[in-house]
Every structure is written in C-alpha cells, then in structure tokens.
C-alpha cells in the first residue's frame, strides 16, 4: 500500500501582534503619549486652579477623577504591545475594561447628582455631599471588578491558535480570545447601559445654567464617548480585520475621547478665569489713572502759584496783578507800630511791597478783613 502525503505551505500571520519592530508600533505609541500627556497637563491645570471661583464651581474633585481615569485608560493601551500570550491576554482584559469604568464612573455619578439636584421633576431642596457622591461611585467600579473576577476563572481571555485555509494557502494566527461570547455581551450590557443612562441624564440637565455645574460639558463628554464606542463596535463586527489593526483603532479612539472630553472641562474654565483676571487688571488700571491725572493736575496748579511764574490769575474787577508782587508782599517790611489796616481791591494796581505777610486782601464783593500786625 502506498500512502500519499500532500504538503501545503503554512503562512504565519504577524498582523495580530504589535511587536517592537512592527510598523504598527508608532500607531500605538503616538496616541498613547499624546493622550496621556495632554490629559496630565489638563489635570495639573485643574488642580492648580482648584481654589478659584471658576474651577470650584466645576466640582474639581470628580472632574479631576475623570481626567485621571482618562490618563490610566490611555496608559492601559500600552498592554497592546507584545505577543499574544496567556498573561498578556488576561492583563489586557483587566486593564482596558477596568480603566474604562474607572474613568466613566465619576463622570456618570457627577451627571446623576446634577440630575437629582436640579433636573429631576418635583424639585425639592436636598444636599448631596462629596462623601456621599464618592460612595455612589464605588458600586460601579466594584461591579466591574466582580465581572472581571468571574470571567478570569470561568472564561478568561487567553492565547488561541487559529488556522484559516484559503484554497491551498493555510494561514496560522495567534490571537487573544474567549471560549464563548458571554464576556462580550455582559460588558456590552453593563458598560453600554452606563453610557446610555449617562447620555439620558446629560440630556435632561442640558439647559441648566452654565455657572452652576457643567451641564454642557457633561452632555458633550457622554455623547462623545458613546459615539466613538459605537463606531468601534460596529467596525469590529462588520469588518473582519486583524487583531493588531483593531488595537490601533481602539487606541486612536481612546486618545480622541479622553483628550476632547478633558479639554471641554478644563479649557472653558481656564478661559473664564483669564477673562475675569483681565477685567480685574483693567479695572485697577482705570482706577489708578484718574488719581495720577489728579496728582498731575494738582502739580501743575502748584507750579502756577509759585512766585515768578509767567501766568498769574487775574483779580476780580479786571485788576491785574504785577508779576512778582506776591513775592514782594511776603518779603516787604512792616510799617512802624501796631495798627489796623483795611485793604481792598480798588481801581488801581497794588504797588510793590504794599502788603505785609499778615495782611489780607478782600476780593470783589467779599467783606474786607481787618489785619492786626
């Protein structure tokens, strides 16, 4: 008996991994660096100005927690680098989903609190402290941790070998995959449900006053995250692409979501702060200028009253005062003996040295004054 063995070439597909020398390496590193660096700068600005009126109105604690979660979510994309081993596959499952909920939970809780305070029907006075809001945030994170723990033992993401045959060409692939689709549907219901409820709450509080809370920022951030997540989900299910390309796509989407959502929380507040600072500076300058003009005017008036000045005020009754007469009045010697003198403006000019320092002049219709030497 003869046995025939037909050998077919097997091609190893390398586009399912992002290796150090891969062409997709820059497509992962650049978005991660840009997203994490930009969010870090915005977080530093937010914390630095947290005591100002503009940033204090924005509830900087939970907004800062959201931006911090965005930084962690960007850095979690670094786990996409390397081979598809069991350890890396499980690490990617934990980092990506945990970071997503870590960033979304403060934003969702902040939107929920805003709805309870001013957006719910039948408005009633109530107080929701920061501690209570923080406790409202923890259940969302704990539920995600519980889901990840269950699937880490029941159906973990692990290294899976695939053989695809196209005619006589067989392609060998190594990917990270679950045995079932249960994890995908559970995360779709949980994380997708959080996004849908967050979008609804943001829509209900969209018309709130801008100075109170951040309704428009919350509205934009929720819908921005939901839109990008929907696009990524549709592409993953509609188009058959390699795992490395999927990771590049997810990394770019995360960079876009986190950067734009963080910017809408920080940049408007920073613009309002700079605008108020410029108004205060302008007010101070405008209040100082009249004082300087008044001082300058007083100085010029003093110069006009200095002896020997070229311009002298004219006396009532069209009587002119000779230049330098007032100086001569101050230095003229007194007449002999104590006496009373009644001096008034007549029809003639006052001769040089006619008045002593202790004598006074009666102007126009004002009563004359006795001066005693």
């Amino acid at each position: 008996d003869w046995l025939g063995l037909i050998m077919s070439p097997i091609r190893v597909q390398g586009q399912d991994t992002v290796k150090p020398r891969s062409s997709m390496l820059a497509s992962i590193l650049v978005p991660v660096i840009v997203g994490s660096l930009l969010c870090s700068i915005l977080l530093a600005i937010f914390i630095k100005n947290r005591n100002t009126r503009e940033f204090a109105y924005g509830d900087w604690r939970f907004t800062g927690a959201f931006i911090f979660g965005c930084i962690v979510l960007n850095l979690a994309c670094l786990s996409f680098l390397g081979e598809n081993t069991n350890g890396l596959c499980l690490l990617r499952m934990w980092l990506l989903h945990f970071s997503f909920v870590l960033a979304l939970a403060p934003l969702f809780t902040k939107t929920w609190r805003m709805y309870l305070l001013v957006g719910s029907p039948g408005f009633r006075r109530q107080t929701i402290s920061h501690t209570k809001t923080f406790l409202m945030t923890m259940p969302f994170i704990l539920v995600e941790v519980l889901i990840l723990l269950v699937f880490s033992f029941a159906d973990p993401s692990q290294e899976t070998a695939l053989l695809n045959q196209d005619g006589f060409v067989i392609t060998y692939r190594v990917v990270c995959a679950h045995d079932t689709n249960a994890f995908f549907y559970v995360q779709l219901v949980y994380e997708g449900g959080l996004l849908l409820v967050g979008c609804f709450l943001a829509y209900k509080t969209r018309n709130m006053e801008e100075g109170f809370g951040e309704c428009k920022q919350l509205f934009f951030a929720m819908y921005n995250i939901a839109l990008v997540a929907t696009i990524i989900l549709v592409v993953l299910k509609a188009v058959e692409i390699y795992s490395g390309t999927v990771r590049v796509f997810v990394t770019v989407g995360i960079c876009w979501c986190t950067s734009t959502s963080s910017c809408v929380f920080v940049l408007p507040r920073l613009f309002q702060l700079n605008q108020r600072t410029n108004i205060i500076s302008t007010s101070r300058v405008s209040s100082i200028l009249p004082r300087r003009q008044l001082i300058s005017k007083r100085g010029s008036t003093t110069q006009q009253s200095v002896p020997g000045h070229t311009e002298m005020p004219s006396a009532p009754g069209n009587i002119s005062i000779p230049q330098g007469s007032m100086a001569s009045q101050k230095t003229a010697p007194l007449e002999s003996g104590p006496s009373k003198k009644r001096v008034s403006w007549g029809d003639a000019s006052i001769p040089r040295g006619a008045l002593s320092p202790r004598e006074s002049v009666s102007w126009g219709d004002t009563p004359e004054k006795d001066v005693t030497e």
Side-chain angles (χ1 to χ4, degrees), residues 7-29:
M7 302 294 294
S8 298
I10 298 178
R11 184 179 62 181
V12 178
Q13 182 58 255
Q15 296 183 7
D16 290 310
T17 60
V18 182
K19 299 179 181 179
R21 296 182 180 181
S22 174
S23 60
M24 294 183 291
L25 179 63
S27 302
I28 297 289
L29 290 179

Side-chain angles (χ1 to χ4, degrees), residues 161-216:
L162 300 176
L163 289 175
N164 297 330
Q165 185 173 0
D166 183 12
F168 294 100
V169 179
I170 300 176
T171 304
Y172 177 77
R173 300 174 58 190
V174 178
V175 298
C176 292
H178 297 268
D179 293 335
T180 64
N181 292 325
F183 181 77
F184 171 78
Y185 289 112
V186 169
Q187 291 292 353
L188 180 63
V189 172
Y190 180 63
E191 298 177 354
L194 288 180
L195 277 177
L196 289 178
V197 176
C199 291
F200 171 77
L201 297 178
Y203 175 79
K204 297 294 289 185
T205 59
R206 69 191 185 282
N207 294 324
M208 191 176 58
E209 184 181 354
E210 293 184 2
F212 184 76
E214 294 171 320
C215 53
K216 290 181 174 56

